[in-house]
Amino acid sequence: MTTAPTVEATATVTEDLLAAVPATTAAGPRVEVRTAGGWTPVCGLSDLLPGRGVAALLPDGGQLAVFQDRAGRTYAVGNRDPFTGAYVLSRGLLGSAGGRPFVVSPLLKQRFDLATGRCLDDESVGVPVYPVRTC
């Protein structure tokens, strides 16, 4: 009979995974996001394709959607679609309106501003936004 992992084991696994992200990847710099615990590495810059997203898991179990636009700017927002509750924003496509980049949810097609997190189709709804840096 197997037992569920303890909280300590989960924390250790997460710390081990984060420690495994090198300061720079073989192909170049890494992308980090600012969370309550400081700057957290999430992927290599070369892992991002302009116009497409990548999902990342945070140490607290939260999920991010990380994007690079066609101009080379990186963005990070919460991965959870607030309209459906599904963690799918990283699968959305990027676009822009009035020079402002957004991601389109792949489920119900709402657009979320990547700089502010605000839904462009319902301003009462938004997603968290995280500061991003490459180093």
Side-chain angles (χ1 to χ4, degrees):
M1 177 174 179
T2 23
T3 59
T6 65
V7 173
E8 292 88 13
T10 303
T12 302
V13 170
T14 301
E15 290 167 5
D16 290 345
L17 290 173
L18 290 176
V21 177
T24 57
T25 63
R30 67 180 175 190
V31 177
E32 297 181 342
V33 296
R34 178 99 174 137
T35 63
W39 288 100
T40 301
V42 292
C43 65
L45 185 59
S46 63
D47 294 328
L48 298 176
L49 297 174
R52 301 297 303 263
V54 207
L57 184 63
L58 293 172
D60 67 1
Q63 290 187 27
L64 295 176
V66 183
F67 300 95
Q68 182 179 56
D69 68 12
R70 298 199 189 284
R73 293 179 299 255
T74 53
Y75 302 91
V77 298
N79 195 31
R80 184 178 176 272
D81 179 337
F83 291 95
T84 65
Y87 291 87
V88 295
L89 291 183
S90 63
R91 294 178 168 235
L93 297 178
L94 296 189
S96 65
R100 305 225 16 126
F102 61 80
V103 61
V104 179
S105 173
L107 296 178
L108 300 178
K109 310 304 183 220
Q110 284 89 0
R111 300 168 300 153
F112 296 92
D113 186 304
L114 290 174
T116 66
R118 176 168 279 152
C119 179
L120 301 176
D121 304 300
D122 181 348
E123 292 193 6
S124 68
V125 179
V127 293
V129 174
Y130 297 84
V132 179
R133 72 178 182 186
T134 54
C135 48

